[in-house]
């Protein structure tokens, strides 16, 4: 439903700022360096099994591809990208997919996927790329350690994320491109791990990606955190089967983003209902006092509560965290 301008001066001011940014802020790609060249990824056989042997073969092929991309980045003179890729190619790292082109795409596994009874798929928000992969990886590591044995975390960087300060971060264009890829990945994952409890964890703009791809997906839980909105009015429209949870830290700047949708001639700006609002209908969990990048911080309230949701347990009530 289109937003009808009304209400307080502060809301009108915020909306005006949002619209102005959507037409005046430079496109994110214009501020980024030129794409670092990388080889086309190897053609992988369909993922039909999650046995240790099948996974090891897949990890080895992608490790070779990461090394090749690292050599190409070094030849190009991009030392930062080359260093990131050298770290990714370590034998202890496990990638289900990798493509170093166009900013990079990667799907990394933390924990033993072959034995996992609980799987969390992380979908990142804006400003996540190969060059800024460390923070995304750190959150995945912290969550897997919190979950413990028989759990795997999959860090799915399967799309070109927008810059936080850009028109793309305020429209669903990038999410519309990403959603089919996310759906295909989840469907393949469920095919090889049908009995595992699978949760979709969606941070910031990643919650828009999840909302675009969630309909009909066989997941047990969808967790939205630091979300600007999803582009849908209610949690019930995301998935008929999954429990939908939402949380926001007390210090998260995303709370100041207007929760509206404005249809302009060239785009729809904004993502509508606040996921932690009562009218959205999600189950709200305590996300502590942290900021926008603190949800998977080791030892934090939201990390513990998200891990409980992934495990099929109720999150701890506010102020009561063992």
């Amino acid at each position: 439903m289109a937003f009808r301008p009304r209400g307080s001066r502060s809301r009108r001011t915020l909306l005006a700022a949002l619209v102005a940014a959507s037409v005046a802020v430079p496109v994110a790609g214009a501020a980024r360096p030129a794409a670092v060249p990388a080889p086309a990824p190897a053609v992988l056989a369909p993922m039909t099994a999650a046995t240790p042997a099948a996974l090891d073969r897949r990890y080895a092929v992608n490790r070779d591809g990461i090394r090749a991309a690292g050599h190409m980045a070094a030849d190009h003179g991009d030392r930062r990208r080359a260093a990131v890729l050298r770290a990714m190619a370590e034998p202890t790292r496990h990638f289900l997919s990798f493509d170093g082109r166009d900013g990079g795409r990667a799907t990394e596994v933390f924990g033993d996927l072959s034995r996992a009874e609980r799987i969390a798929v992380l979908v990142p928000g804006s400003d996540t790329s190969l060059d800024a992969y460390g923070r995304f990886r750190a959150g995945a590591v912290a969550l897997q350690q919190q979950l413990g044995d028989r759990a795997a975390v999959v860090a799915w960087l399967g799309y070109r994320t927008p810059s936080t300060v850009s028109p793309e971060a305020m429209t669903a264009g990038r999410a519309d491109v990403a959603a089919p890829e996310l759906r295909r990945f989840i469907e393949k994952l469920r095919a090889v791990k049908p009995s595992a409890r699978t949760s979709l964890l969606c941070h910031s703009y990643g919650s828009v990606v999840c909302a675009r791809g969630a309909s009909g997906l066989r997941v047990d839980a969808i967790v939205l955190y630091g979300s600007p909105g999803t582009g849908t009015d209610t949690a019930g429209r995301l998935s008929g089967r999954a429990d939908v949870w939402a949380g926001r830290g007390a210090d998260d700047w995303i709370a100041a983003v207007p929760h509206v949708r404005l249809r302009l001639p060239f785009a729809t700006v904004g993502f509508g209902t606040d996921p932690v609002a009562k009218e959205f209908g999600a189950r709200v969990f305590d996300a502590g006092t942290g900021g926008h990048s603190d949800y998977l911080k080791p030892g934090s309230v939201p990390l513990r509560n998200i891990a409980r949701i992934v495990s099929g347990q109720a999150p701890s009530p506010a102020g009561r965290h063992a």
Side-chain angles (χ1 to χ4, degrees):
M1 180 174 65
F3 172 71
R4 295 177 176 84
R6 67 176 184 230
S8 68
R9 176 176 293 181
S10 61
R11 170 165 284 208
R12 290 197 299 271
T13 300
L14 285 169
L15 180 58
L18 181 65
V19 175
S22 74
V23 297
V25 175
V27 174
R32 292 179 175 177
V36 180
V43 178
L44 295 166
M47 192 169 70
T48 58
T51 63
L55 290 171
D56 284 346
R57 286 193 295 270
R58 196 172 190 89
Y59 297 154
V61 171
N62 285 311
R63 193 172 297 120
D64 289 342
I66 295 168
R67 289 194 185 103
H71 293 320
M72 191 171 285
D75 292 343
H76 182 70
D78 194 317
R79 295 181 179 179
R80 179 182 180 185
R81 176 69 64 84
V84 169
L85 294 173
R86 279 196 301 273
M88 284 183 161
E90 290 292 325
T92 55
R93 305 283 291 271
H94 300 138
F95 287 86
L96 291 173
S97 65
F98 175 82
D99 186 344
R101 301 170 299 176
D102 188 31
R105 312 286 188 273
T107 304
E108 186 171 9
V109 176
F110 302 85
D112 187 346
L113 185 59
S114 68
R115 299 173 62 245
E117 298 171 354
R118 295 156 292 155
I119 301 172
V121 179
L122 302 186
V123 180
S126 55
D127 289 321
T128 307
S129 65
L130 293 185
D131 291 331
Y133 188 76
R135 185 176 62 196
F136 185 41
R137 180 178 187 271
V141 170
L143 179 59
Q144 200 284 323
Q145 291 176 345
Q146 184 72 35
L147 288 166
D149 293 339
R150 297 286 183 174
V153 174
V154 181
W156 184 83
L157 176 56
Y159 75 112
R160 184 182 177 191
T161 66
S163 172
T164 299
V165 184
S166 72
E168 287 86 354
M170 291 174 272
T171 63
R174 295 283 175 91
D176 288 337
V177 174
E181 298 298 327
L182 177 61
R183 287 183 61 85
R184 279 190 285 270
F185 174 72
I186 295 293
E187 287 166 358
K188 291 175 184 176
L189 184 63
R190 291 308 305 249
V192 298
K193 296 290 298 183
S195 63
R197 175 181 168 82
T198 302
S199 302
L200 197 54
L201 310 187
C202 318
H203 179 234
S204 193
Y205 188 86
S207 60
V208 186
V209 176
C210 290
R212 285 295 199 265
S215 179
L217 278 185
R218 293 186 302 118
V219 294
D220 299 282
I222 297 173
V223 185
L224 313 171
Y225 51 104
S227 173
T230 64
T232 59
D233 294 326
T234 64
R237 293 187 176 183
L238 294 184
S239 175
R241 165 180 171 165
D243 292 326
V244 179
W245 293 85
R248 184 169 62 225
D251 247 359
D252 191 339
W253 58 263
I254 205 78
V257 171
H259 294 287
V260 297
R261 285 203 304 278
L262 180 66
R263 290 176 182 166
L264 301 176
F266 54 87
T268 297
V269 179
F271 303 112
T273 310
D274 186 348
V276 301
K278 183 178 180 180
E279 58 266 31
F280 186 73
R283 303 172 70 178
V284 177
F285 67 93
D286 182 11
T289 60
H292 193 63
S293 300
D294 296 333
Y295 292 93
L296 299 182
K297 186 176 179 179
S300 68
V301 168
L303 175 67
R304 290 195 293 269
N305 275 337
I306 289 171
R308 289 179 68 88
I309 294 169
V310 170
S311 299
Q313 303 171 356
S316 298
R320 294 172 60 186
H321 301 282

